[in-house]
Amino acid sequence: MGDVRRQPWLRGCLDAFAAEVRRLGPVLDAGCGPGQVTAYLDGLGLEVRGTDLSPAMVEHARRRHPHLSFEVAGHTELEVEPSSLGGVLFWWSLFHLPRPTVGEVLSRAAGWLVPGGMLLVTTHAGHEDVRRTEAYGVPVDWTTHRWQPEELSRLVREAGLEPVADLRLPAGHDHGAALVLAARRP
């Protein structure tokens, strides 16, 4: 999704997330890719680490941000202590998962949060899914699952979290239609 510092609405969501979780505990950037958002959150004073399924992405993140912690792990393989995180971030990292898996991942993430802890999800919005064969100039084979706000909010509530904010962004020059959803563990 490019440099978040050049995207004021998305940057604002990250800033609000950081303000909410700063005193609650460490943050997990699950699906961190090259680590630019992990580094942004670190710059806001959060204790943050990143995980990604791709060893190449984790290596890239480590090269770009050697002072931060990154590890290879997929969302369904993450081992996190219950009630140990102030925040969990899925920044464009759930869209490729099969729809039934997303609810399971959100439920697991809810259990990692301390009471009052925050979840922040950013994903593609829309009605139909899109099969991708190219991304960032390289061949890929995945389906981009687009979500409707109500559908994602329902899964978040079923995971035991309370949605507190959502932002809907129309397609722009750096992204397609997007949805940002913030939720809190009661």
Side-chain angles (χ1 to χ4, degrees), residues 47-65:
E47 178 187 341
V48 60
R49 69 182 174 101
T51 62
D52 200 277
L53 180 61
S54 167
M57 281 293 179
V58 168
E59 184 55 37
H60 185 66
R62 287 175 178 159
R63 259 192 326 275
R64 290 183 68 197
H65 313 286

Side-chain angles (χ1 to χ4, degrees), residues 94-97 99 123-135 140-147 176-177:
L94 294 176
F95 68 85
H96 63 284
L97 292 177
R99 287 184 185 277
T123 194
H124 300 280
H127 292 284
E128 62 283 330
D129 297 337
V130 177
R131 181 149 183 264
R132 303 283 305 267
T133 57
E134 183 273 330
V140 297
D141 184 17
W142 77 60
T143 298
T144 296
H145 297 284
R146 298 192 212 181
W147 291 86

Side-chain angles (χ1 to χ4, degrees), residues 23-37:
R23 291 181 183 86
L24 296 176
V27 170
L28 174 64
D29 181 2
C32 66
Q36 75 270 17
V37 173

Side-chain angles (χ1 to χ4, degrees), residues 5-91:
R5 294 170 298 181
R6 295 182 304 129
Q7 301 174 24
W9 291 103
L10 296 176
R11 185 180 65 240
C13 292
L14 288 171
D15 292 350
F17 174 77
E20 289 287 326
V21 303
R22 184 167 282 114
R23 291 181 183 86
L24 296 176
V27 170
L28 174 64
D29 181 2
C32 66
Q36 75 270 17
V37 173
T38 315
Y40 182 79
L41 293 174
D42 175 69
L44 295 177
L46 298 184
E47 178 187 341
V48 60
R49 69 182 174 101
T51 62
D52 200 277
L53 180 61
S54 167
M57 281 293 179
V58 168
E59 184 55 37
H60 185 66
R62 287 175 178 159
R63 259 192 326 275
R64 290 183 68 197
H65 313 286
H67 64 289
L68 295 175
S69 174
F70 297 98
E71 65 184 90
V72 177
H75 297 329
T76 59
E77 302 149 359
L78 281 168
E79 295 297 327
V80 178
E81 289 293 317
S83 300
S84 64
L85 297 175
V88 176
L89 176 71
F90 292 109
W91 195 258

